[in-house]
Amino acid sequence: MSVQARAAARTPATQRRGAGGGLGRRRSRRRTKELFWAAVFLLPALIAIVSMRIAPTVSAAVSSLHQGFPGGVLAAEFSGLANYSELFGNDMFRDTVIRTIVFNVIINPLQVAIALIISVLLTRKIVAPNLWRMLVFVPATVPIVGSSIVWGIAFRQDGPINAILAALGGNPQPFLTSPSQAMASIMVVISWIGIGYWMLFLVSGLQSIPDEYLEAAKLDRAGTIRTFFSITIPLLKRPLLFVLVADTVANFVLFVPIQMLTNGGPQNSTTMQMFNAYRTTYTYSSKNLGAAEVMILTVIMLAFVALQFRLLREDRPTRRKR
């Protein structure tokens, strides 16, 4: 038996319990202090989340279960799911929901894929990579209202894009006034705004991949495509998931370009659900019906986000049984 062990054996049990209890109390006080300061620093964020996210959502959910005279002349009365029944019985609303879903199914993977391709190219050994990254990011620094005004001028019948087409021997196109071209034009505008912003997160994720993995792939004689899908994409799942979810949320609540460029037209071809909820609430002064539209949009958006988390979740190693 060692000297320390014999000394510990000669120490009375009450003293050992007292020393252990004192250490436990100090740890408890330190943990309480850490929790207190953590709560103090998190309090502003919690207040913002509750007041700007949770409270409006609960208010919209309650409001969607009431019906009142448009304009708020009479007090709204509880009506259960009558607003939802009225909405889904409306052909125009069902078309808007389908249009919103199709729009997001197309635009979200497209924007993330383009941002990823640009990110990969800009992390290669090229001349002045920071300059190219800045040029791609510049559109994200312009306010969305300003970008919409610029693109509204560019897409005009007598705008610069049609002038270029005419100079090349083509015919002028009704970009924002044609039901078959207006939605594609909106996609161009929001992609021009958003791709540079999402690129920054993906470039950061690509630069965080250790070189050892890529060198090991080279030693195994893996080609560029094999390395990209077997090494780069699995190690890029977290930033990729963040970009995809954030991009999805941004596109589901898309409003400014639609209102400024097409106002939902022509022939409702660019009417998305967020714009429709705004129009129902403020233009038609039907607050309860607009709240029901927002709740439906929220449910659809959450379903998309849950599916994305499911598809891009990371495989965790299973614990060995002892």
Side-chain angles (χ1 to χ4, degrees):
M1 181 181 292
S2 65
V3 176
Q4 291 81 359
R6 287 197 296 271
R10 288 196 296 270
T11 303
T14 53
Q15 292 185 12
R16 290 201 302 270
R17 285 197 296 270
L23 181 61
R25 283 193 294 273
R26 284 197 296 274
R27 287 179 176 173
S28 178
R29 283 197 297 271
R30 187 173 63 184
R31 183 172 179 78
T32 303
K33 191 176 180 180
E34 290 175 352
L35 290 175
F36 170 77
W37 284 111
V40 168
F41 284 111
L42 288 175
L43 190 60
L46 292 175
I47 292 174
I49 291 173
V50 171
S51 61
M52 300 178 68
R53 292 289 183 270
I54 297 177
T57 304
V58 174
S59 175
V62 173
S63 179
S64 69
L65 300 177
H66 291 72
Q67 279 188 329
F69 193 79
V73 178
L74 300 176
E77 296 180 352
F78 181 77
S79 60
L81 300 177
N83 285 324
Y84 296 95
S85 177
E86 180 180 342
L87 287 173
F88 283 110
N90 188 323
D91 293 339
M92 187 178 295
F93 178 76
R94 290 201 300 271
D95 291 342
T96 301
V97 172
I98 294 172
R99 188 180 303 113
T100 303
I101 294 174
V102 172
F103 173 80
N104 278 276
V105 167
I106 295 173
I107 194 65
N108 295 327
L110 183 64
Q111 284 186 339
V112 175
I114 295 174
L116 180 60
I117 291 171
I118 294 175
S119 304
V120 171
L121 293 176
L122 295 182
T123 50
R124 301 288 182 183
K125 293 181 180 178
I126 59 174
V127 178
N130 292 330
L131 174 64
W132 293 110
R133 289 172 198 168
M134 184 191 70
L135 292 176
V136 176
F137 182 70
V138 163
T141 64
V142 180
I144 193 169
V145 174
S147 297
S148 300
I149 293 173
V150 170
W151 277 101
I153 296 171
F155 279 140
R156 279 168 43 177
Q157 192 73 18
D158 56 347
I161 295 179
N162 273 329
I164 294 172
L165 288 177
L168 296 175
N171 296 320
Q173 298 298 315
F175 294 108
L176 297 176
T177 56
S178 167
S180 61
Q181 297 185 17
M183 184 59 79
S185 302
I186 295 289
M187 288 182 177
V188 170
V189 175
I190 63 172
S191 297
W192 185 81
I193 296 171
I195 284 176
Y197 184 71
W198 306 127
M199 174 207 69
L200 283 187
F201 298 97
L202 296 177
V203 166
S204 177
L206 288 170
Q207 290 177 334
S208 66
I209 296 176
D211 294 335
E212 291 79 5
Y213 291 97
L214 303 178
E215 292 171 0
K218 285 183 181 177
L219 292 176
D220 289 341
R221 298 182 179 179
T224 304
I225 296 176
R226 176 69 183 277
T227 302
F228 179 75
F229 285 103
S230 299
I231 303 295
T232 305
I233 292 295
L235 295 177
L236 199 63
K237 272 190 175 181
R238 286 189 177 183
L240 205 56
L241 178 61
F242 167 77
V243 168
L244 187 57
V245 170
D247 189 37
T248 299
V249 173
N251 287 327
F252 262 109
V253 298
L254 185 68
F255 176 76
V256 174
I258 293 175
Q259 188 197 31
M260 294 192 65
L261 295 176
T262 61
N263 200 27
Q267 300 176 16
N268 285 326
S269 61
T270 58
T271 298
M272 308 293 286
Q273 203 170 342
M274 188 65 194
F275 176 80
N276 199 45
Y278 169 84
R279 189 166 59 183
T280 301
T281 304
Y282 296 104
T283 304
Y284 304 147
S285 299
S286 186
K287 185 181 71 173
N288 304 109
L289 205 59
E293 292 188 29
V294 170
M295 293 309 301
I296 293 171
L297 174 63
T298 303
V299 170
I300 295 173
M301 187 169 61
L302 291 177
F304 263 72
V305 171
L307 179 63
Q308 290 166 353
F309 269 96
R310 176 77 179 176
L311 292 176
L312 290 178
R313 68 178 179 180
E314 294 184 350
D315 297 327
R316 296 180 179 178
T318 56
R319 294 181 178 178
R320 293 181 180 178
K321 295 182 179 179
R322 294 181 177 179

